Amino acid sequence: MGRFHGGFGIKGEVKLESFTDPPERLFKYQPWLLRDAQGRERECTGAKGRVTPKGVVAVLPDIADRDAADALRGTEVFVPRSTLPPPAPGEYYWVDLEGLRVVNSEGVDFGTVSHLFSTGANDVLVAQGDRERMIPFVQPDYITSVDFDAGLVTVDWDADF
């Protein structure tokens, strides 16, 4: 749901990249599970924040100074699935797409969805198979169907791309 990028100011505020839309919606979904680069996890309840011209800034109850905020750099924010609303028709949580098989309209198997990322212009689906393919997640232009029952994403994408 998000990732910390280090301290903001001297009072323990933390710069936060939010993967929600709008970015401040992340604060509605709590408790947070914080996972650092070494895989250590801890729960955080009561985080507050705001959007600034320089991005999202968070205040965590147990972070009181710049050093403690900087120590969170790279820590990822997860939330329990039960706190999220169900996606609207035609919308997907990225995590639900990961692991689905990807084939093009000619039936060529591209492997499975490894992950997705945002470029700002659009989201990109990464299919990992015999090689990695990056496919713009633009419906219906390139992503023609998502079938969770079949575990399949069908794309209009040339096998040579």
Side-chain angles (χ1 to χ4, degrees):
M1 298 293 294
R3 180 179 303 115
F4 292 112
H5 288 286
F8 182 85
I10 60 170
K11 296 182 180 181
E13 294 179 307
V14 187
K15 289 182 283 188
L16 172 65
E17 177 182 9
S18 173
F19 303 137
T20 63
D21 184 23
E24 64 272 15
R25 185 169 290 155
L26 176 59
F27 297 100
K28 284 182 58 176
Y29 308 126
Q30 295 198 36
W32 289 354
L33 178 65
L34 306 181
R35 184 179 303 147
D36 68 18
Q38 289 74 37
R40 295 180 299 239
E41 296 180 348
R42 67 182 176 103
E43 189 173 286
C44 174
T45 302
K48 294 179 172 45
R50 66 190 188 283
V51 176
T52 73
K54 294 189 176 192
V56 180
V57 174
V59 176
L60 280 63
D62 58 343
I63 303 298
D65 61 38
R66 174 73 183 224
D67 291 337
D70 276 338
L72 289 173
R73 185 181 313 273
T75 296
E76 294 182 299
V77 178
F78 297 87
V79 299
R81 179 63 180 257
S82 60
T83 65
L84 301 174
E91 293 183 353
Y92 313 98
Y93 287 119
W94 287 2
V95 67
D96 294 338
L97 297 170
E98 292 173 1
L100 296 182
R101 217 164 37 90
V102 180
V103 299
N104 74 0
S105 50
E106 287 81 40
V108 177
D109 190 337
F110 288 174
T112 59
V113 177
S114 166
H115 62 284
L116 292 98
F117 65 91
S118 181
T119 65
N122 56 265
D123 298 331
V124 176
L125 179 145
V126 179
Q128 187 67 49
D130 60 330
R131 62 185 178 92
E132 185 177 82
R133 290 182 173 86
M134 292 185 235
I135 305 164
F137 201 94
V138 178
Q139 293 179 293
D141 298 344
Y142 304 117
I143 306 296
T144 58
S145 71
V146 176
D147 184 341
F148 287 106
D149 292 332
L152 186 66
V153 176
T154 305
V155 299
D156 185 4
W157 199 253
D158 191 290
D160 293 330
F161 285 174

